[in-house]
Amino acid sequence: MNNYEKLEGMVAATFTPLDENGDVNLSVIDKYADWIASTPIKGVFVCGTTGEFSSLTIDERKLILEKWLVSARKRFKVIAHVGSNCQRSAMELARHAAQVGADAIASIAPSFFKPGTVDELVDFFAPICHSAAGLPFYYYNMPSITGVNLPVDKFLVEGKKKIPNLVGTKFTHNNLMEMGVCIELEQHRFEVLHGYDEILISGLAMGAVAGVGSTYNYIPNVYQAIFDSMKMNDLETARHNQIKSIRTVEVIIKYGGGVRGGKAIMKLIGIDCGSCRLPIKPFSVDEYEKLRGDLDAIKFFEF
């Protein structure tokens, strides 16, 4: 694999900027990338769940990735999410990611026609990964969305036999027992990227050293403090900052979850990514004011 290095620290799951007509607004990404580069964030995860990948066309996803790679200017890593219910589409996106210089690819499991066994999941991913054989591949495990709840440790072991560039998993699940098993596999052979921001402290305690999260976008200093304090075994500081994360997530849930609420917060911090695509309802002016009030109540802007 080309220049493969294991990930450490924060990888921000980026929002897809849209204009008032609902079209992709690539012009925002320059400012967005400059913001990412000014923080301790080490990489971006492009066109994942936070990026509304399932509401985008293949051509849009290609353009978004290309723009991120140009705007990043090698200041941080760019991971391309290529997942799709259509294997051929995912293969096309993987080939494109390799051609334009992405640092890695990832894919979520298909969620309409679902694989029923680990072998079926491996067989689905193998041609996708072979389409970008020079790039590291991360299995994006998110059973709450996909409904695919196959044992990730078995997937990693069996998958490696057919997928040489399989390096780990984006583990967006609260099954910390399974996470621990994955981390310990074959003397820590596989990367396990923590995916639930509100319990990051738990994932780090299990041995994870990197995470992919949407709320990293707007309170990166909170999460960097968690990473740093856990390295120093300073649990009190880690817990203090994790509570800040939890309070933020509670507000986000009130406003429709991490994609809808998170996108609105991006506007409030000065990076206007617009509204989400339907069926996610746009924010009203009144909602923005209420959101700002709720964030003020938890001292969010002082984080």
Side-chain angles (χ1 to χ4, degrees):
M1 288 174 287
N2 305 328
N3 302 316
Y4 168 56
E5 296 178 354
K6 289 188 175 183
L7 296 169
E8 288 191 24
M10 290 179 286
V11 176
T14 57
F15 297 91
T16 294
L18 302 176
D19 64 21
E20 58 186 12
N21 296 317
D23 295 320
V24 173
N25 189 358
L26 296 175
S27 65
V28 174
I29 295 176
D30 283 334
K31 182 178 182 180
Y32 198 162
D34 287 344
W35 161 249
I36 293 292
S38 74
T39 74
I41 291 169
K42 301 296 179 60
V44 292
F45 189 88
V46 177
C47 289
T49 303
T50 302
E52 301 173 73
F53 78 94
S54 63
S55 298
L56 300 170
T57 68
I58 290 177
D59 286 342
E60 287 173 331
R61 291 171 70 175
K62 289 180 179 179
L63 289 172
I64 293 164
L65 175 62
E66 289 170 12
K67 181 61 177 176
W68 268 107
L69 286 163
V70 170
S71 299
R73 304 202 308 273
K74 302 294 184 181
R75 293 175 292 176
F76 47 82
K77 292 184 180 296
V78 178
I79 301 171
H81 176 249
V82 301
S84 172
N85 279 320
C86 174
Q87 186 190 60
R88 299 295 177 91
S89 294
M91 291 167 65
E92 181 178 341
L93 288 166
R95 280 192 296 270
H96 173 260
Q99 290 165 359
V100 298
D103 293 294
I105 60 169
S107 180
I108 203 164
S111 58
F112 192 87
F113 296 120
K114 298 178 178 63
T117 66
V118 166
D119 286 343
E120 288 174 358
L121 184 59
V122 170
D123 288 343
F124 179 83
F125 281 142
I128 298 168
C129 299
H130 294 164
S131 299
L135 296 182
F137 169 69
Y138 298 90
Y139 165 42
Y140 181 1
N141 175 54
M142 194 178 189
S144 63
I145 292 292
T146 63
V148 177
N149 200 5
L150 297 169
V152 181
D153 57 317
K154 289 185 173 61
F155 169 80
L156 292 172
V157 172
E158 295 303 316
K160 192 66 175 176
K161 297 174 184 177
K162 291 185 178 180
I163 306 171
N165 52 331
L166 171 62
V167 297
T169 176
K170 178 182 182 294
F171 198 89
T172 308
H173 193 17
N174 56 12
N175 186 340
L176 295 173
M177 176 178 171
E178 183 179 37
M179 172 183 263
V181 171
C182 292
I183 290 170
E184 292 297 319
L185 274 176
E186 300 179 19
Q187 297 182 323
H188 301 250
R189 181 180 189 183
F190 298 100
E191 294 183 70
V192 179
L193 313 178
H194 181 89
Y196 268 162
D197 306 1
E198 60 272 34
I199 57 169
L200 175 61
I201 189 174
S202 304
L204 297 180
M206 292 302 299
V209 298
V212 180
S214 63
T215 61
Y216 297 172
N217 282 286
Y218 38 83
I219 48 172
N221 290 340
V222 169
Y223 291 105
Q224 189 60 46
I226 294 174
F227 275 100
D228 291 344
S229 55
M230 287 297 288
K231 280 183 180 179
M232 296 183 291
N233 293 319
D234 181 0
L235 290 178
E236 183 177 354
T237 300
R239 290 188 193 110
H240 174 73
N241 283 282
Q242 188 70 78
I243 291 298
K244 290 181 180 180
S245 159
I246 289 169
R247 295 289 177 255
T248 304
V249 171
E250 286 176 335
V251 171
I252 293 167
I253 290 171
K254 181 178 177 180
Y255 290 91
V259 181
R260 185 174 188 267
K263 228 177 186 185
I265 290 177
M266 293 299 289
K267 181 174 181 177
L268 295 183
I269 70 165
I271 303 172
D272 189 354
C273 292
S275 297
C276 300
R277 280 190 173 164
L278 294 172
I280 302 176
K281 182 181 177 182
F283 249 69
S284 66
V285 173
D286 182 56
E287 276 186 300
Y288 275 115
E289 290 306 311
K290 289 180 178 177
L291 172 61
R292 184 182 291 277
D294 286 341
L295 293 173
D296 283 338
I298 64 170
K299 300 186 183 338
F300 170 87
F301 296 102
E302 300 175 21
F303 289 172

